[in-house]
């Protein structure tokens, strides 16, 4: 790369540089700070923070140091992934508070170790900004799901991976249903599915369900595409997914 190319990049607006760095793990973005004085603090305002770099050991200390230097008032996505086997609950909760204070829209958390983090134990959940939430290797129970659904009013996607706990029933009765977009339910390990909705929905994978309770109340006041034939086909497809 010639000097003219380097000068071209250096003269780019900060907003463009932030956007470019958002496609890389945060440790690679931080390395650009040694290029010059111009780059010293560019990474501090990237709209996305991703700690999931499989080639590095990500510790709680590294995450704390990184977040303490972050300067942007708004953040689009945070991917919290630590390779440590033991992480203090206070650290995890401070990371979540950091993301929520900056109105994060997409939050993903993965924690390793023999003792899964007991997610949402003991505190009220009120997350107004997330649209996508992914929880991996957390300890979840029925009350956790209820808190997530009632405390995240604009949540569009919820992914639960490798979780532990007593979560056999999946109760979606508290899920907000003002949006008319199709709700897709992927829950291959759920035994008992309880669904209450006023929006169109479909079952993608509920292969382990042996018990299901559906309360579908679709009011056709303004959206005339939701006619009787559409609703009948939707319900028949859902019933076809219940094999047990």
């Amino acid at each position: 790369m010639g000097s003219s190319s380097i000068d071209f990049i250096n003269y780019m607006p900060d907003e463009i540089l932030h956007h470019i760095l958002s496609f890389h793990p945060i440790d690679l973005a931080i390395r650009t700070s040694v290029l010059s004085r111009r780059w010293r603090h560019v990474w501090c305002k990237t709209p996305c923070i991703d700690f999931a770099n499989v080639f590095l050991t990500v510790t709680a200390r590294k995450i704390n140091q990184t977040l303490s230097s972050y300067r942007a008032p708004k953040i689009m996505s945070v991917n919290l992934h630590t390779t440590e086997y033991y992480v203090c609950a206070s650290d995890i909760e401070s990371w979540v508070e950091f993301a929520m204070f900056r109105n994060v829209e997409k939050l993903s958390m993965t924690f390793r170790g023999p003792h899964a983090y007991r997610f949402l134990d003991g505190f009220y959940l009120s997350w107004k900004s997330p649209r996508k939430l992914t929880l991996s290797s957390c300890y979840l129970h029925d009350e956790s799901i209820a808190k997530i659904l009632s405390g995240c009013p604009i949540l569009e996607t919820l992914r639960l991976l490798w979780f532990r706990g007593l979560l056999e029933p999946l109760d979606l009765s508290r899920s907000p249903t003002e949006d008319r977009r199709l709700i897709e339910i992927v829950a291959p390990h759920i035994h008992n599915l309880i669904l209450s909705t006023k929006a169109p929905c479909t079952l993608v994978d509920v292969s382990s369900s042996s018990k299901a309770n559906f309360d579908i109340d679709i009011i056709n006041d303004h959206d005339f595409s939701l006619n009787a034939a559409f609703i009948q086909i939707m319900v028949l497809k859902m019933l076809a997914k219940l094999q047990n």
Side-chain angles (χ1 to χ4, degrees):
M1 182 181 292
S3 59
S4 60
S5 299
I6 297 176
D7 289 339
F8 173 76
I9 295 176
N10 283 334
Y11 283 112
M12 283 184 176
D14 283 355
E15 291 77 11
I16 295 180
L17 297 179
H18 297 158
H19 180 71
I20 294 174
L21 293 179
S22 69
F23 291 96
H24 300 279
I26 191 62
D27 59 285
L28 297 181
I30 293 175
R31 292 181 187 181
T32 62
S33 62
V34 302
L35 295 177
S36 66
R37 181 178 299 178
R38 163 78 168 84
W39 285 82
R40 186 172 300 171
H41 301 292
V42 170
W43 74 268
C44 298
K45 292 187 177 182
T46 55
C48 304
I49 298 182
D50 185 0
F51 289 98
N53 189 337
V54 295
F55 301 105
L56 292 177
T57 299
V58 181
T59 64
R61 181 180 179 182
K62 286 184 178 179
I63 294 178
N64 286 330
Q65 289 175 340
T66 301
L67 298 186
S68 66
S69 300
Y70 192 76
R71 295 293 178 265
K74 165 69 179 177
I75 190 168
M76 298 299 296
S77 70
V78 176
N79 185 0
L80 294 169
H81 180 105
T82 176
T83 54
E84 282 187 313
Y85 265 36
Y86 297 95
V87 180
C88 294
S90 58
D91 279 333
I92 296 174
E93 289 163 9
S94 70
W95 301 338
V96 173
E97 183 179 355
F98 163 90
M100 295 306 160
F101 182 75
R102 288 164 176 80
N103 296 316
V104 67
E105 295 185 10
K106 181 180 178 181
L107 176 62
S108 178
M109 296 188 288
T110 302
F111 306 109
R112 298 178 60 191
H115 302 291
Y117 174 60
R118 298 181 67 88
F119 190 74
L120 302 181
D121 275 6
F123 67 93
Y124 173 72
L125 178 65
S126 180
W127 296 350
K128 304 301 183 182
S129 61
R131 294 184 178 275
K132 295 183 179 181
L133 178 62
T134 300
L135 303 176
S136 302
S137 302
C138 296
Y139 185 98
L140 294 168
H141 47 74
D142 302 340
E143 294 181 0
S144 302
I145 297 300
K147 286 183 177 181
I148 291 173
L149 295 178
S150 61
C152 301
I154 63 173
L155 190 66
E156 298 174 357
T157 302
L158 174 62
R159 299 183 67 206
L160 307 176
L161 306 174
W162 308 302
F163 60 86
R164 307 177 190 178
L166 303 176
L167 187 62
E168 288 191 356
L170 178 61
D171 189 344
L172 301 178
S173 61
R174 299 191 185 187
S175 180
T177 56
E178 296 179 359
D179 201 326
R180 289 290 184 176
R181 283 173 292 184
L182 186 68
I183 299 173
E184 294 185 349
I185 299 174
V186 184
H189 305 296
I190 291 298
H191 291 229
N192 183 4
L193 174 63
I194 304 171
L195 172 65
S196 177
T197 181
K198 293 182 179 180
C201 56
T202 183
L203 303 180
V204 178
D205 187 356
V206 288
S207 52
S208 298
S209 295
S210 58
K211 183 178 180 181
N213 186 323
F214 294 160
D215 180 6
I216 302 173
D217 181 14
I218 299 180
I219 301 175
N220 190 13
D221 290 337
H222 304 290
D223 191 346
F224 293 99
S225 65
L226 299 181
N227 52 39
F230 174 88
I231 297 173
Q232 183 182 36
I233 293 173
M234 182 189 77
V235 173
L236 289 176
K237 287 182 177 179
M238 294 173 67
L239 293 176
K241 288 290 185 177
L242 300 173
Q243 302 295 325
N244 298 324

